[in-house]
């Protein structure tokens, strides 16, 4: 059996477009319903990436923007996990990209004017390909919380943004990873845009003592689940299948 | 309690935020880090077909351009073949079919150079009109928006396209058609995307 269409996305678990407490969504959310589209070749295919697209150093944020011999300031962490689909199958050789603020909550972006300083040895982005088992890891520093103009006194919990491709345009996903025990998690309008409590929990990474490097780095485990696929096409044969 | 089904649940989406460029287009964020940024060459030098430019604005519900958008494009080559192992057929060397583009911070204009895709076989053996699949993320967009860009000079193919035709309101179909123009000898398709309001672009749940 060849893989076919992707399972319908459960949009009652994802954040809806309009979430009034996250104010920017008010004018950027469509009013009309989405038009449901059964998968064609356009949706079940997507870009592929190879090792010549990226450098092995790209996944080490502690060093990938640091001067020779220097490293980023902050709590040294490893972020690792697997990219799986809803069937529990690994998604190998897929591109995972991350970006984040530095240890003080400052982004290296010309539009970020927060008064916490830039770390001269920290860029804040990384990328890697999953291995044949869907496994990935990054080395970085734990990002700080930072304030943003939503309510007068809103602070984002510490978080890392993640972008994942999967094997198809239908699986494309951007999300954010949070850290176990962060008290800001429950007050965040962006995280609370997700209506499903279990889905929120799924974005919170646990400390993984077994993956730490003693006297070097703490580890957090974060698995990413992409849409699964049917193993047969019940209706019509799609081109390429 | 009933048995549980064995499926995992998809990871929930979150907004890409205002600093998406740091991760996906660091040069635009203001720093040079990667040897090669991905997504700036969709078709490559060897692609056959008509060279085109696609450009537009993303407009919010107030009518203002959104200046911190990232769009990704996914398209077939001029023969209607996707650069993907599951799609039968060959693409030209260097043809990736995928691109990433960000809006200008001052004007909100975005654009990319590519080739015009060919028609692709759709479901039920019905041909789909030439189109580019687009995925749009930004601050304030909680889950990426999918749409399709079709071409104004493909009227016949568009009229029988199985996807355009599932849009019940004929008036809304027009939001999916990019307008062809010629500027200084170059073929340019204009495609403005309205996130919300009277001319709201059709978005798909794929």
């Amino acid at each position: 059996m060849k893989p076919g269409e992707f399972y319908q996305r459960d949009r009652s678990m994802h954040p809806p477009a309009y979430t009034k407490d996250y104010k920017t969504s008010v004018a950027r959310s469509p009013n009309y319903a989405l038009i449901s589209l059964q998968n064609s070749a356009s949706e079940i295919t997507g870009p592929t990436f190879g090792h010549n697209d990226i450098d092995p150093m790209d996944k080490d944020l502690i060093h990938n923007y640091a001067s020779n011999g220097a490293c980023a300031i902050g709590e040294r962490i490893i972020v690792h996990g697997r990219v799986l689909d809803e069937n529990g199958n690994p998604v190998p050789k897929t591109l995972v990209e991350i970006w984040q603020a530095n240890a003080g909550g400052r982004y290296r972006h010309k539009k970020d004017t927060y008064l916490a300083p830039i770390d001269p040895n920290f860029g804040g982005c990384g990328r890697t390909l999953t291995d044949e088992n869907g496994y990935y890891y990054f080395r970085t520093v734990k990002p700080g919380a930072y304030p943003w103009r939503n309510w007068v006194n809103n602070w984002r919990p510490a978080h890392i943004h993640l972008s994942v491709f999967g094997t198809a345009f239908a699986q494309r996903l951007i999300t954010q990873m949070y850290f176990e025990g962060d008290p800001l998690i429950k007050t965040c309008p962006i995280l609370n845009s997700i209506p499903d409590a279990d889905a929120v929990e799924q974005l919170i990474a646990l400390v993984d003592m077994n993956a730490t490097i003693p006297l070097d780095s703490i580890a957090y485990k974060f698995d990413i689940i992409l849409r699964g696929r049917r193993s047969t096409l019940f209706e019509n044969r799609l081109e390429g299948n | 309690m009933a048995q549980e089904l064995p499926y995992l649940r998809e990871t929930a989406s979150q907004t890409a935020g205002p600093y998406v460029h740091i991760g996906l287009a660091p040069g635009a964020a203001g720093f040079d880090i990667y040897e090669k940024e991905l997504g700036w060459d969709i078709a490559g030098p060897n692609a056959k077909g008509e060279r085109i430019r696609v450009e537009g604005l993303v407009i919010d519900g107030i009518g203002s351009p959104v200046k911190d958008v990232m769009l990704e494009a996914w398209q077939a080559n001029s023969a209607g073949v996707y650069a993907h192992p599951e799609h039968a057929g060959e693409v030209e060397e260097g043809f990736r079919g995928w691109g990433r583009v960000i809006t200008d911070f001052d004007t909100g204009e975005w654009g990319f150079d590519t080739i015009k895709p060919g028609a692709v076989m759709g479901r039920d053996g019905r041909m789909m009109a030439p189109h580019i699949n687009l995925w749009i993320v930004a601050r304030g967009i909680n889950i990426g928006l999918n749409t399709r860009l079709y071409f104004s000079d493909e009227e016949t193919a568009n009229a029988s396209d199985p996807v355009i035709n599932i849009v019940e309101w004929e008036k809304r179909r027009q939001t999916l058609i990019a307008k062809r123009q010629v500027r200084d000898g170059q073929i340019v398709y204009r495609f403005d995307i309205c996130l919300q309001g009277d001319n709201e672009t059709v978005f798909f749940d794929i």
Side-chain angles (χ1 to χ4, degrees):
Chain A
M1 291 299 169
K2 289 187 176 177
E5 299 177 24
F6 286 85
Y7 301 142
Q8 173 70 49
R9 185 166 255 163
D10 176 4
R11 288 186 181 262
S12 70
M13 173 273 284
H14 286 283
Y18 172 78
T19 49
K20 68 174 171 43
D21 287 341
Y22 174 27
K23 295 182 181 180
T24 315
S25 77
V26 172
R28 295 186 176 190
S29 45
N31 290 333
Y32 297 120
L34 301 178
I35 305 287
S36 292
L37 200 59
Q38 289 175 284
N39 287 174
S40 70
S42 292
E43 289 78 37
I44 65 168
T45 59
T48 54
F49 301 92
H51 288 286
N52 52 1
D53 286 321
I54 59 177
D55 186 289
M57 194 66 179
D58 291 349
K59 63 178 175 289
D60 182 355
L61 284 71
I62 291 178
H63 297 106
N64 69 4
Y65 198 70
S67 308
N68 264 347
C71 60
I73 290 173
E75 187 177 331
R76 296 161 65 90
I77 63 171
I78 290 163
V79 174
H80 78 125
R82 297 176 75 196
V83 180
L84 304 170
D85 70 14
E86 289 170 298
N87 296 318
N89 295 324
V91 184
K93 297 185 179 62
T94 196
L95 182 65
V96 181
E97 298 163 288
I98 66 170
W99 68 102
Q100 64 169 93
N102 68 22
R106 175 70 184 270
Y107 281 101
R108 185 178 287 278
H109 191 291
K110 53 184 161 189
K111 296 284 183 187
D112 188 3
T113 56
Y114 181 36
L115 49 75
I118 290 283
D119 176 347
N121 292 307
F122 185 72
C125 60
R127 55 189 186 180
T128 190
L129 295 176
T130 57
D131 71 11
E132 63 276 14
N133 298 311
Y135 182 78
Y136 75 92
Y137 75 91
F138 292 97
R139 305 194 72 179
T140 184
V141 294
K142 190 176 175 186
Y146 71 89
W148 58 301
R149 290 180 186 276
N150 188 61
W151 303 326
V152 165
N153 191 22
N154 256 144
W155 292 76
R156 293 301 323 280
H159 64 276
I160 296 177
H161 297 264
L162 293 105
S163 163
V164 193
F165 281 81
T167 60
F169 216 50
Q171 287 180 309
R172 191 78 179 85
L173 182 74
I174 281 182
T175 188
Q176 301 181 28
M177 175 200 123
Y178 302 88
F179 294 85
E180 177 186 6
D182 187 338
L184 292 169
I185 283 175
K186 62 178 182 298
T187 68
C188 178
I190 290 180
L191 190 48
N192 289 336
S193 68
I194 299 172
D196 181 301
D198 292 338
V200 170
E201 292 296 320
Q202 205 171 316
L203 297 187
I204 302 172
L206 296 179
V207 172
D208 182 355
M209 291 304 290
N210 291 347
T212 58
I213 305 175
L215 307 179
D216 182 327
S217 299
I218 296 173
Y220 285 86
K221 180 153 190 296
F222 191 71
D223 288 341
I224 301 159
I225 315 300
L226 303 179
R227 292 167 69 182
R229 302 180 75 168
R230 302 183 199 289
S231 57
T232 53
L233 278 176
F234 292 109
E235 296 170 42
N236 297 288
R237 185 175 169 278
L238 292 178
E239 174 70 10
N241 266 297
Chain B
M1 281 294 283
Q3 294 185 7
E4 285 184 20
L5 292 169
Y7 305 109
L8 301 175
R9 298 180 84 204
E10 190 187 9
T11 300
S13 173
Q14 291 268 266
T15 180
Y19 307 129
V20 60
H21 320 91
I22 293 174
L24 308 185
F31 66 112
D32 196 21
I33 181 165
Y34 292 141
E35 181 130 337
K36 183 161 74 170
E37 281 196 23
L38 299 171
W40 306 116
D41 188 9
I42 301 175
N46 305 314
K48 299 187 182 75
E50 187 174 47
R51 295 273 159 181
I52 63 171
R53 180 163 181 81
V54 176
E55 55 187 35
L57 285 171
V58 177
I59 298 160
D60 69 14
I62 316 290
S64 303
V66 180
K67 297 173 181 175
D68 49 14
V69 172
M70 186 194 79
L71 299 98
E72 287 185 355
W74 174 241
Q75 65 164 87
N77 73 359
S78 60
V81 177
Y82 284 107
H84 189 272
E86 290 185 31
H87 204 222
E90 295 282 315
V91 297
E92 300 87 347
E93 191 186 343
F95 181 89
R96 179 162 248 161
W98 171 76
R100 182 176 266 175
V101 53
I102 60 165
T103 48
D104 183 280
F105 291 144
D106 296 322
T107 64
E109 291 279 349
W110 55 268
F112 56 85
D113 297 309
T114 185
I115 56 97
K116 191 175 170 191
V120 174
M121 181 69 79
R123 299 173 62 85
D124 312 339
R126 292 175 65 190
M127 292 305 284
M128 298 190 281
H131 64 277
I132 299 176
N133 306 286
L134 294 174
W135 187 68
I136 302 147
V137 296
R139 176 172 69 110
I141 295 178
N142 288 322
I143 181 165
L145 294 166
N146 286 96
T147 190
R148 285 187 174 196
L149 178 157
Y150 288 85
F151 300 90
S152 62
D153 55 323
E154 295 284 347
E155 275 185 50
T156 310
N158 291 343
S160 62
D161 179 82
V163 170
I164 292 178
N165 278 290
I166 62 168
V167 180
E168 178 185 345
W169 307 274
E170 285 181 37
K171 185 180 167 188
R172 298 202 67 204
R173 295 177 189 170
Q174 295 307 313
T175 68
L176 300 175
I177 315 288
K179 304 285 184 299
R180 183 183 174 106
Q181 44 191 266
V182 180
R183 189 175 63 211
D184 302 332
Q186 188 184 25
I187 296 153
V188 179
Y189 287 91
R190 181 78 192 181
F191 192 67
D192 289 334
I193 297 166
C194 292
L195 296 178
Q196 183 191 82
D198 288 344
N199 295 314
E200 188 173 303
T201 299
V202 169
F203 297 107
F204 296 105
D205 182 12
I206 64 170

